[in-house]
């Protein structure tokens, strides 16, 4: 457990990899593709509201640690702010701001009536007890009480958080307002109004988009070779579902390293092994150990970075041997690396499309909650699949028509919708 009241050092973001610069650069490219008025672009470049709160937490030792928590609300032109809550040592206000902007384009691209937001606290959740995490989450929620709400801003899980934290957030918000408000968060447990299918939704969405993109190139998903970095909520579900669909999952990794099997891993067996070994991949009998760096440069049909930002950079972009990169994580490819992959003919399925399955099922959870009618998992998956497939094909067709990469096509669709709504609402400066 963390004993001192000193905040953990955050790994610095290299000067050439500023997440906000990247997201703004894609915004500008989409704006010039669509001839969006510079005034509108100037509005969209900045988050509407940035909240940083102080979170004093009593540790199990009795000492007090004071953490900083952020919530950035980028844009609510299309509906309530929406986005996950991240607990990771690398969280900074810059990173959260960039992730909030990504949420705006993602929701607009998918045609769901939300704006974009993101929250986070710079902690390594593995260093805290469950009790400490609960106190941190409850205090963070209390501090944000005036800024969030089911019609205002709806948090959800992201890296380092899960249904458990969402239940604490829901309970804290409800206690503060004096009645139960399940709609304050999505990604919550089924017992308090969660949706079937939400836990695997982001990974399922990744599988669907990869399947559609491979089909476009005349390749079936069954038999395609896949490599996945990250084995958490997103990477774990993506690997399992891809394996189930007949893809050959050559390698997966987490913080403990990776495992590789030339003829494909038995992913369900590896999943069990990782759970039984408290997150460790080592000693898995069905594969050999590899490093995360080696994993990224394995030859394969599809590479799926599903962990952190900035994993494919100008330092390793030339070594990538995948035919396609599906961004399950947010921002795993840097601006320069993106251009390098493009010029090498490697297809990149952009984050705002590839990992949108999570927020889509969050939306379906919200819809079910609002109508007090809950669906079976088959219906949730079908509705999500319909939205994901349509979004993929809209992006693909836009890319073809305009002769632009898939990322720019996706941004063009997302930014275009928000800019149109901004103008129609008369919010033009
Ligand atoms: N959860 C969601 O619904 C959504 C998440 N995303 C994005 O997907 C990404 C992953 O999120 P999620 O799966 O929820 O997070 P989790 O915390 O559930 O899992 C993260 C995974 O990444 C691994 N990891 C962390 N650092 C490294 C590293 N340096 N090298 C290799 N693996 C690493 C972790 O390892 P270990 O298990 O050892 O800690 C863990 O397996 C994030 O970018 C997030 O923003 C996007 C859309 C929705
Ligand atoms: O489900 C949600 O509301 C947000 C998911 C998320 O944070 C993301 O898509 O990056």
């Amino acid at each position: 457990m963390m004993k001192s009241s000193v905040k953990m050092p955050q790994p610095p973001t290299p000067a050439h990899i500023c997440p906000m610069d990247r997201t703004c650069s894609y915004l500008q490219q989409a704006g010039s593709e669509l001839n969006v008025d510079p005034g509108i672009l100037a509005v969209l470049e900045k988050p509407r509201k940035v909240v940083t709160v102080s979170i004093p937490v009593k540790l199990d030792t009795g000492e007090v640690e004071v953490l900083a928590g952020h919530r950035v609300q980028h844009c609510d032109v299309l509906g309530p702010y929406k986005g996950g809550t991240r607990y990771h040592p690398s969280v900074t206000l810059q990173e959260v701001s960039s992730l909030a902007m990504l949420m705006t384009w993602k929701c607009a691209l998918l045609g769901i009536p939300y704006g974009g937001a993101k929250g986070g606290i710079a902690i390594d959740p593995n260093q805290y007890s469950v009790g400490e995490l609960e106190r941190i989450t409850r205090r963070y929620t209390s501090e944000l009480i005036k800024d969030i709400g089911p019609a205002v801003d709806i948090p959800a899980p992201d890296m380092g958080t899960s249904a458990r934290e969402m239940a604490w957030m829901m309970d804290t918000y409800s206690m503060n307002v004096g009645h139960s408000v399940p709609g304050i968060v999505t990604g919550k447990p089924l017992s308090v109004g969660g949706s079937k299918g939400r836990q695997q939704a982001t990974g399922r969405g990744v599988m669907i988009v990869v399947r559609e993109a491979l089909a476009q190139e005349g390749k079936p998903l069954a038999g395609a070779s896949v490599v996945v970095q990250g084995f958490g909520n997103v990477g774990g579900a993506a690997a399992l579902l891809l394996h189930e669909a007949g893809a050959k999952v050559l390698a997966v990794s987490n913080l403990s390293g990776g495992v590789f099997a030339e003829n494909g891993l038995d992913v369900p067996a590896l999943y069990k092994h990782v759970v039984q070994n408290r997150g460790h991949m080592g000693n898995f009998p069905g594969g050999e150990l590899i490093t995360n760096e080696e994993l990224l440069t394995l030859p394969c049909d599809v590479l799926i970075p599903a962990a952190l930002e900035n994993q494919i950079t100008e330092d390793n972009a030339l070594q990538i041997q995948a035919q396609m990169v599906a961004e399950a994580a947010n921002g795993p490819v840097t601006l320069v690396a993106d251009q390098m992959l493009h010029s090498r003919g490697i297809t990149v399925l952009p984050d705002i499309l590839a990992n949108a399955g999570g927020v889509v099922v969050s939306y379906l959870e919200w819809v079910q909650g609002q109508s007090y009618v809950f669906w079976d998992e088959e219906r949730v998956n079908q509705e999500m699949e319909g939205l994901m497939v349509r979004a993929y094909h809209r992006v693909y067709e836009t890319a073809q028509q305009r002769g632009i990469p898939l990322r720019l096509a996706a941004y063009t669709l997302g930014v275009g919708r928000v800019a149109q709504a901004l103008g129609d609402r008369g919010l033009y400066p």
Side-chain angles (χ1 to χ4, degrees):
M1 278 326 94
M2 185 125 172
K3 300 271 187 265
S4 92
S5 59
V6 179
K7 238 177 77 177
M8 292 181 62
Q10 295 174 26
T13 305
H16 62 292
I17 307 176
C18 173
M20 201 56 183
D21 286 356
R22 169 178 46 208
T23 327
C24 284
S25 165
Y26 294 136
L27 166 63
Q28 290 299 337
Q29 289 175 44
S32 73
E33 184 68 27
L34 294 168
N35 283 323
V36 175
D37 187 287
I40 287 192
L41 284 182
V43 174
L44 295 176
E45 256 196 351
K46 298 273 180 272
R48 179 133 181 251
K49 193 167 184 181
V50 175
V51 186
T52 295
V53 296
S54 181
I55 307 167
V57 54
K58 194 175 260 185
L59 303 176
D60 292 345
T61 56
E63 289 171 276
V64 171
E65 184 179 9
V66 183
L67 301 164
H70 309 291
R71 184 81 188 165
V72 176
Q73 298 171 332
H74 173 253
C75 175
D76 68 345
V77 169
L78 295 179
Y81 297 107
K82 186 83 188 83
T85 304
R86 179 175 289 197
Y87 290 177
H88 192 274
S90 72
V91 165
T92 61
L93 194 52
Q94 264 272 355
E95 183 192 67
V96 177
S97 302
S98 157
L99 291 165
M101 192 193 279
L102 280 183
M103 286 308 303
T104 303
W105 316 139
K106 193 181 299 184
C107 294
L109 169 64
L110 268 292
I112 56 181
Y114 286 141
K118 202 82 172 195
I121 307 177
I123 50 167
D124 176 356
N126 299 316
Q127 301 298 314
Y128 292 84
S129 69
V130 173
E132 288 168 337
L133 286 172
E134 179 169 355
R135 294 196 287 282
I136 292 168
T137 306
R138 287 186 181 280
R139 186 61 187 251
Y140 173 62
T141 311
S142 284
E143 293 296 333
L144 289 178
I145 216 80
K146 293 200 176 81
D147 299 294
I148 57 175
V152 180
D153 182 355
I154 309 156
D158 189 73
M159 263 191 114
T161 61
S162 64
R164 180 183 68 178
E165 284 74 16
M166 294 308 109
W168 293 334
M169 288 184 96
M170 180 255 177
D171 185 63
T172 307
Y173 185 87
S174 300
M175 287 192 314
N176 271 272
V177 298
H179 57 97
S180 253
V181 189
I184 177 60
V185 288
T186 59
K188 42 190 187 287
L190 292 180
S191 60
V192 288
S195 175
K196 294 193 170 131
R198 175 61 183 89
Q199 209 255 320
Q200 283 200 317
T202 311
R204 185 176 294 280
V206 172
M207 183 272 287
I208 291 166
V209 171
V210 166
R211 183 194 68 204
E212 295 300 302
L214 285 172
Q216 202 76 56
E217 297 183 357
K219 296 179 194 158
L221 180 54
S225 55
V226 174
V227 166
V228 185
Q229 185 202 37
F231 205 53
N233 177 278
V234 179
L240 278 168
L241 292 165
L242 285 159
H243 173 82
E244 223 173 88
K248 198 161 70 166
V249 180
L250 297 181
V252 302
S253 66
N254 64 12
L255 261 177
S256 72
V259 282
F260 165 76
E262 202 175 347
N263 296 319
L265 293 161
D266 178 346
V267 182
L270 176 62
Y271 203 89
K272 255 194 217 152
H273 175 88
V274 170
V275 171
Q276 281 163 2
N277 290 275
R278 296 169 174 218
H280 284 273
M281 300 237 163
N283 304 327
F284 177 62
E288 58 189 88
L289 286 179
I290 52 166
T291 65
N292 259 295
E293 292 71 31
E294 289 164 340
L295 172 136
L296 289 172
T297 56
L298 285 171
C300 59
D301 291 312
V302 190
L303 171 64
I304 305 181
L308 296 168
E309 276 93 348
N310 304 327
Q311 296 303 294
I312 303 178
T313 67
E314 63 217 77
D315 297 332
N316 62 0
L318 290 177
Q319 280 81 56
I320 300 298
Q321 297 191 67
Q323 303 293 309
M324 185 181 283
V325 174
E327 293 185 326
N330 285 305
V333 179
T334 66
L335 195 56
V336 176
D338 194 45
Q339 287 153 2
M340 290 164 78
L341 295 180
H342 181 64
S343 62
R344 292 183 56 215
I346 298 172
T347 304
V348 178
L349 301 172
D351 45 13
I352 59 171
L353 170 67
N355 70 29
V359 75
V360 166
V361 176
S362 277
Y363 165 60
L364 299 176
E365 175 176 332
W366 189 68
V367 167
Q368 293 169 77
Q370 301 261 332
S371 58
Y372 303 97
V373 176
F374 290 86
W375 308 338
D376 60 24
E377 188 162 350
E378 202 185 338
R379 166 134 188 230
V380 174
N381 290 345
Q382 261 174 15
E383 299 271 352
M384 187 263 268
E385 177 148 357
L387 284 165
M388 293 298 290
V389 168
R390 282 196 291 281
Y392 169 77
H393 288 283
R394 271 198 306 269
V395 170
Y396 180 79
E397 280 149 27
T398 304
Q400 292 293 302
Q401 282 158 10
R402 292 182 175 268
I404 55 178
L406 293 174
R407 186 189 309 280
L408 185 51
Y411 267 73
T412 303
L413 289 164
V415 171
R417 273 202 182 128
V418 177
Q420 170 82 40
L422 192 60
D424 289 349
R425 282 184 57 172
L427 300 178
Y428 183 82

